[in-house]
Amino acid sequence: MFNRKRAFAAVAIATGAAIALAGCAGGSSGSPDATPTFDPDEEVTLDLAFWGNDVRAELYNEAIAAFSEEYPNITVNASFLGFPEFWEKRQTEAAGKNLPDVMQFDYSYLRQYSENNLLLDLNPYLGNIIETDALPENILGIGVVGEATTGIPTSTNAWGLFTNPVLLEQAGVENFEGGSWDDYTDWLGEVTDGAGGEFWGGSDFSGRIQNLEIQLRAEGGNLFEEDGTPGFDEERLTEFWESGQAIRDGIGVPQQRVEEVVPLGPFDTANTASELTWDNFGSGYLGNLGAGYTELNLVAPPVTEEGAKDLYLKPSMLHSISANTEHPEAAATLVNFLVNSPQSGEIFGTNRGLPASETALEAADLDPLSQQVKDYEASITDRLGDAPPVPIVGYGTLEEKFRQLGAELNYGTVTVEEAVSQFFSEMDVVLGQ
């Protein structure tokens, strides 16, 4: 079950460590003099760290056993923690320049650790030790910070719209068939009216910074540029937050109801019939909805401008290597196995998300929801553009501030003008660190 409060807390911990990590660079990320090669006779021990639970730990154990059969000279010592504890420990290790050789990595922290030279530049290993034929260029580009590749995506997801067919049937409304954000708002109103007070069409979409992001991408911009410059001004944010006013005025689920079901959300408690979010959330939603709910619909988000490349593939997670590793070739060999090997795809399936590597994906046994996600991502190909710049340091703090202000707008405790002022004040602080 996805715990929003825990995830936001972890982001705050990690981004708050940016200043502490600055100046504790962990070694060179420069390219070796010659093409790196792996020595199959050298006895090597690697530390591997990942976040997750007992289920994922067992899967990693299986993968390590398969890896050891192929590379008997490499001993892998694995450890795992919950998400917040994982990043707390990485912060301590980064200060002491002793990060694990190989790490499962989160996209939100890739820039922070990369710009402090804590992660190995993997460019010299691409195409030789780390196979790239099975990884499309737009996937490999996700892990690039500056000119260095510091993370290899294990899996991807994309922004989508989940709807609940059971609730739609009760409301007597057909599934959202696409259209503009105004069309989506009108559809939400139809569902809310049809529900007769039992549930609502959805939440205020202007409370999620990702919906602003895809609108900005449709207009040819980004949420934040490579240099950290925001791709929007006060006027644009005002326009965006004002676009959610009709939803806040009664179409959408009341904020009080949202707070009552925390740590779950309104969608996976059947309080709303739709949710704009990442497409890999479906399994968790169904699990939380429980008996009586066997499937969900997954369709593309509303359109800002026809023909725009507003959507993109985001890594569910990546694998990175410490800049201080004493065995970069062996570490790259392990990363390649965990990302690309058919054995990895067969073992992990979609536990880490839909496999990014074509070879791993072909070997994965997809359950119906995973197949649905695969089909969905194929269906939005014409809207998929290049991934935006890797999130700025402090992005998690701003995402949470955006969410909080969205909640206050729903409560009616701040005006749009006040919310815009508060967000830009917070952004000035974060970008000035």
Side-chain angles (χ1 to χ4, degrees), residues 1-9 11 51 83 106 208 210 261-265 268 275 277-278 280-285 288 314 399 403:
M1 180 177 67
F2 180 75
N3 188 317
R4 291 173 175 78
K5 288 188 174 181
R6 184 177 69 180
F8 287 135
V11 168
W51 68 84
F83 192 80
D106 187 80
R208 298 293 298 275
Q210 290 84 1
V261 299
V262 170
L264 300 181
D268 50 355
E275 176 84 344
T277 190
W278 298 109
N280 63 329
F281 277 31
S283 179
Y285 285 154
N288 292 334
K314 170 184 173 290
E399 181 184 20
R403 185 199 69 80

Side-chain angles (χ1 to χ4, degrees), residues 167-363:
L167 297 186
L168 292 183
E169 183 177 0
Q170 292 176 16
V173 178
E174 295 294 321
N175 194 31
F176 182 65
E177 296 181 352
S180 68
W181 293 92
D182 286 341
D183 292 332
Y184 176 59
T185 299
D186 291 342
W187 179 85
L188 292 177
E190 292 177 21
V191 177
T192 298
D193 289 343
E198 295 297 317
F199 54 88
W200 292 264
S203 304
D204 173 18
F205 64 76
S206 74
R208 298 293 298 275
I209 199 170
Q210 290 84 1
N211 291 320
L212 172 61
E213 178 181 39
I214 66 172
Q215 290 191 14
L216 294 173
R217 283 173 59 85
E219 296 162 2
N222 283 307
L223 191 62
F224 292 97
E225 302 301 338
E226 182 67 39
D227 63 1
T229 305
F232 57 98
D233 56 17
E234 289 94 334
E235 182 180 358
R236 183 64 182 87
L237 181 55
T238 297
E239 177 189 341
F240 179 70
W241 267 332
E242 286 180 345
S243 70
Q245 191 60 54
I247 301 174
R248 296 192 291 271
D249 284 343
I251 290 175
V253 59
Q255 189 62 33
Q256 182 60 42
R257 179 63 64 90
V258 174
E259 300 299 332
E260 288 172 358
V261 299
V262 170
L264 300 181
F267 184 71
D268 50 355
T269 53
N271 279 286
T272 59
S274 72
E275 176 84 344
L276 284 154
T277 190
W278 298 109
D279 62 18
N280 63 329
F281 277 31
S283 179
Y285 285 154
L286 271 183
N288 292 334
L289 283 165
Y293 299 91
T294 59
E295 62 180 357
L296 298 172
N297 302 317
L298 176 58
V299 297
V303 173
T304 306
E305 293 187 13
E306 291 291 343
K309 302 286 188 181
D310 54 343
L311 304 179
Y312 63 94
L313 295 179
K314 170 184 173 290
S316 305
M317 59 187 68
L318 310 97
H319 272 94
S320 297
I321 298 175
S322 168
N324 275 341
T325 182
E326 297 179 358
H327 308 288
E329 293 84 4
T333 301
L334 176 58
V335 167
N336 181 66
F337 186 91
L338 292 173
V339 171
N340 279 315
S341 72
Q343 299 100 309
S344 178
E346 183 178 353
I347 291 168
F348 284 103
T350 57
N351 179 270
R352 301 177 300 177
L354 198 68
S357 166
E358 293 172 1
T359 52
L361 180 58
E362 289 174 2

